Structure formats: structure tokens, C-alpha cells
Amino acid sequence: MRKIAIITARGGSKRIPRKNIKEFCGKPILAYSIEAARTSGLFDTVMVSTDDREIAELARKYGAEVPFFRSERTAGDFATTNDVLLEVLEEYEKRGECYDLGCCIYPTAPFVTAAKLKDALGRLEGSGADTLIPVVAFSYPPQRAMVVREDRLVFESPQYLDSRSQDLEPHYHDVGQFYLFYTEAFRRNGKLMVGNILPYVVSEMEVQDIDNQTDWEIAEIKYRCMEGRTRS
């Protein structure tokens, strides 16, 4: 079975300029995704999909392939991860290289480690699932969410007004770090987020959306905590 890690790192970033190569705890944040994929030893190919020459140069420095640049269609603001992955797989096929399993890793995912990738793949193999997606539980039950209507605060789901938090079913959301998928199923489903999906539950201490400078600083704090636990 041939496996490919695809790290999606386009050049445009509106909220944090040059986000994908900004220094994070001592090195470019993109380097963490590349190193996790390469160190895992799982993949025949570790590549970066980008439209940016500076990102491509940095990716190659840390050991990833950049055999081609994104098309104009997949380099725009409205291109989806699904679009990018499909383009990568098709471009490799044109070169006579086909893959049975893919792993999409985001470039701003320093919490992804080689150990997590190995563990995740071990769970996916033999599970019968099409895809594995890391998720984290919402910190507060969404069943007890409130909304503002006509300038007044009301419960979105009033039937849960008197429910105890611990009695409500946990809800999860995608952490935006990596996705493991069988390529045949991905083509059949057309998207990562449909089909037979296996959850990979991670700790809230190893999850952080990075959309602004405050998010970045929180992510660095969490990363240092994770690193400290690993060394102890």
C-alpha cells in the first residue's frame, strides 16, 4: 500500500501575514507538519502543495517534495481542501505515481506528531472506515446554547433548559490538524467529511485554532506544555 502525506500551504493569509512560515517556538510553523510526517516513517511521499516559491523553498529545506505548484484554480480564496487534494492525486497519477492512502496535514498544526500519525493509522487500518478525523469535545454543551432574538436572550433548545451538563451527549468538532483517508473512498465520496468516518479524539490542550496573534500565543503556550509532558 502506497501512502502520501499532503501538506496544504498556500501563500495567501489575510489575518496573519505569511502565517504558514511564521516562526513558532523557534522554527517555521510549517516545519512541524513536515517533520511529523517524515519522522513517522509511514509515507512513501511527503509533499507540500503550494503556490508560493518561498514556501516551496522552505518545504524542500525541511525535506518535503514540491514537484509542482498549485493551479490558479486551487490557489484562490475559495478553493477547498478537497479541491487541493484531488488536484495533487491527479498530478501524481499523470507522473505514473498512484497512492492508496493519503494524509492531509495542515501547515499550522504543530500539535501533530509522528506518534499521533502512527496511532491514528493503526486505528484506521482494519476499521472499515473511509477516513479518520481528529476531533475534540466542545468545552460547553451546545445543547445549552443561547441566541439573541429581538434583543432578548433565549435558549436555542429550551428542552435542555434544566438538563445537567454531565447528562448531555458530548458533541465534537474537527480540530483542523490532519485527515487520514483511503484515496479510493475519497474519490467515491467526493469530500473528506462524508462517508464512513472514524473519530480520533484529542485533548483540548493539544488543539488551537490560529486565526490571530492571540491564538498564536495561546498555541505556543499549549505546545510548550505538550512538549514538557512528553519529556517528563
Side-chain angles (χ1 to χ4, degrees), residues 26-124:
K27 60 186 173 186
I29 196 166
L30 172 63
Y32 293 89
S33 298
I34 296 172
E35 290 176 348
R38 293 188 68 232
T39 304
S40 73
L42 298 174
F43 304 104
D44 300 281
T45 299
V46 176
M47 70 86 67
V48 170
S49 169
T50 188
D51 59 329
D52 186 282
R53 295 194 177 278
E54 185 181 6
I55 291 176
E57 183 178 339
L58 185 69
R60 293 186 182 110
K61 175 183 174 181
Y62 282 92
E65 293 183 9
V66 188
F68 48 82
F69 284 89
R70 288 193 193 185
S71 66
E72 184 177 343
R73 181 181 64 85
T74 59
D77 291 341
F78 299 103
T80 67
T81 296
N82 298 308
D83 295 332
V84 173
L85 296 178
L86 186 59
E87 179 178 77
V88 167
L89 293 172
E90 290 177 345
E91 285 296 325
Y92 271 104
E93 286 173 5
K94 291 176 185 177
R95 292 162 168 76
E97 299 182 53
C98 298
Y99 297 93
D100 306 293
L101 184 136
C103 182
C104 172
I105 307 176
Y106 285 138
T108 53
F111 300 106
V112 177
T113 64
K116 281 182 182 175
L117 293 174
K118 289 179 182 178
D119 184 46
L121 181 58
R123 298 190 192 193
L124 178 61

Side-chain angles (χ1 to χ4, degrees), residues 196-232:
N196 190 332
I197 302 173
L198 183 69
Y200 186 78
V201 181
V202 298
S203 164
E204 193 170 356
M205 278 300 293
E206 298 177 11
V207 172
Q208 181 64 44
D209 283 336
I210 305 179
D211 293 326
N212 54 51
Q213 186 57 36
T214 299
D215 292 340
W216 193 279
E217 293 168 7
I218 293 171
E220 288 189 311
I221 292 169
K222 288 185 175 182
Y223 179 80
R224 291 189 179 104
C225 288
M226 183 182 80
E227 284 289 278
R229 292 199 306 272
T230 301
R231 294 193 188 101
S232 61

Side-chain angles (χ1 to χ4, degrees), residues 158-177:
Q159 66 268 34
Y160 298 114
L161 176 64
D162 296 318
S163 299
R164 300 187 309 165
S165 298
Q166 60 267 40
D167 294 333
L168 297 173
E169 180 182 15
H171 282 53
Y172 299 87
H173 64 86
D174 171 25
V175 302
Q177 294 180 356

Side-chain angles (χ1 to χ4, degrees), residues 126-181:
S127 69
D130 300 331
T131 307
L132 176 145
I133 297 180
V135 294
V136 66
F138 281 95
S139 58
Y140 189 81
Q143 298 97 319
R144 291 180 56 80
M146 292 178 280
V147 295
V148 176
R149 292 180 180 150
E150 298 180 354
D151 201 33
R152 294 294 182 269
L153 199 62
V154 297
F155 273 88
E156 176 71 15
S157 304
Q159 66 268 34
Y160 298 114
L161 176 64
D162 296 318
S163 299
R164 300 187 309 165
S165 298
Q166 60 267 40
D167 294 333
L168 297 173
E169 180 182 15
H171 282 53
Y172 299 87
H173 64 86
D174 171 25
V175 302
Q177 294 180 356
F178 70 93
Y179 310 98
L180 277 168
F181 60 96

